[in-house]
Amino acid sequence: MERLECRVDIADLDAFVAHLGELGERHGVTIQAFDARYVAGRDHLERAVELADRAIGRGENVARDRAVEILLYAAGRRQITRALEMGVSEGRNQAVILVDSGTDGESRDEDAETAALEALEEELSGSLTPEPTLETVDERRLCEFFEITDAEREATDASLEELVCERVALLEVEK
């Protein structure tokens, strides 16, 4: 899995999402864009990819599209409309764009991922600026979105990212 942290200006969300899908197909990868404010860190996205691929492999996926299944797991939700809150929207976004070529954890094509990232940056150069977006985390927003209470945080020495990853994993149990 590769990721691009960036600022992206989106005039037409449907066209942007379609462009990501076409770019992914062209390079044989899955591309999904997230609002960085809802991403707890790299482990959060890696866990979502792993669990989405497991669900797809078992035929237990909710979404037909791998990118959407990854979004569902990253958001810790089974309903696509609720998970979309974690996606990018029209206007200026602090984003994390995930690019992944594997579906079983072992067959990654790093060259395809790199080529897709390069094409993404080139084709969206007018609206996309690479910049760190995961350096600071909005803990309040993450706790609200993932329903992590103060009491839960006080009861453990786990990091917020670990608690978010637990929510992602719980989606598997809630089926």
Side-chain angles (χ1 to χ4, degrees):
M1 177 188 90
E2 294 293 330
R3 73 184 193 298
L4 173 64
E5 296 178 41
C6 61
R7 182 184 71 243
V8 62
D9 295 308
I10 301 172
D12 181 337
L13 183 60
D14 291 335
F16 178 79
V17 171
H19 186 82
L20 293 184
E22 188 277 326
L23 186 63
E25 285 181 27
R26 198 172 354 134
H27 290 277
V29 299
T30 298
I31 302 176
Q32 180 60 271
F34 299 92
D35 181 329
R37 299 174 303 168
Y38 296 96
V39 178
R42 183 176 176 89
D43 290 344
H44 175 192
L45 295 179
E46 285 180 351
R47 186 72 174 142
V49 169
E50 174 187 326
L51 292 170
D53 286 345
R54 181 187 304 167
I56 292 167
R58 293 177 177 172
E60 298 172 352
N61 47 306
V62 171
R64 289 178 293 230
D65 182 78
R66 182 173 181 250
V68 175
E69 191 72 13
I70 291 169
L71 177 66
L72 289 170
Y73 274 93
R77 288 162 168 72
R78 301 288 333 141
Q79 299 84 17
I80 293 172
T81 54
R82 291 195 60 216
L84 287 173
E85 294 174 46
M86 190 175 179
V88 292
S89 56
E90 289 183 356
R92 179 166 286 197
N93 293 263
Q94 296 292 80
V96 179
I97 301 177
L98 174 144
V99 178
D100 188 76
S101 60
T103 55
D104 61 13
E106 295 181 25
S107 61
R108 283 189 57 220
D109 184 343
E110 293 178 25
D111 292 336
E113 291 175 358
T114 300
L117 278 175
E118 289 172 357
L120 179 68
E121 288 184 69
E122 181 181 320
E123 293 175 23
L124 297 176
S125 64
S127 61
L128 184 144
T129 305
E131 65 181 39
T133 57
L134 295 178
E135 287 183 350
T136 58
V137 173
D138 184 342
E139 292 188 8
R140 185 182 57 76
R141 182 182 305 273
L142 285 172
C143 287
E144 286 177 13
F145 186 76
F146 290 98
E147 300 174 357
I148 297 170
T149 64
D150 290 339
E152 182 178 359
R153 292 196 72 192
E154 291 169 8
T156 182
D157 60 354
S159 70
L160 181 55
E161 184 173 13
E162 290 169 328
L163 292 172
V164 168
C165 286
E166 182 179 278
R167 291 298 195 276
V168 170
L170 284 173
L171 187 60
E172 191 76 10
V173 175
E174 293 173 0
K175 287 183 184 176

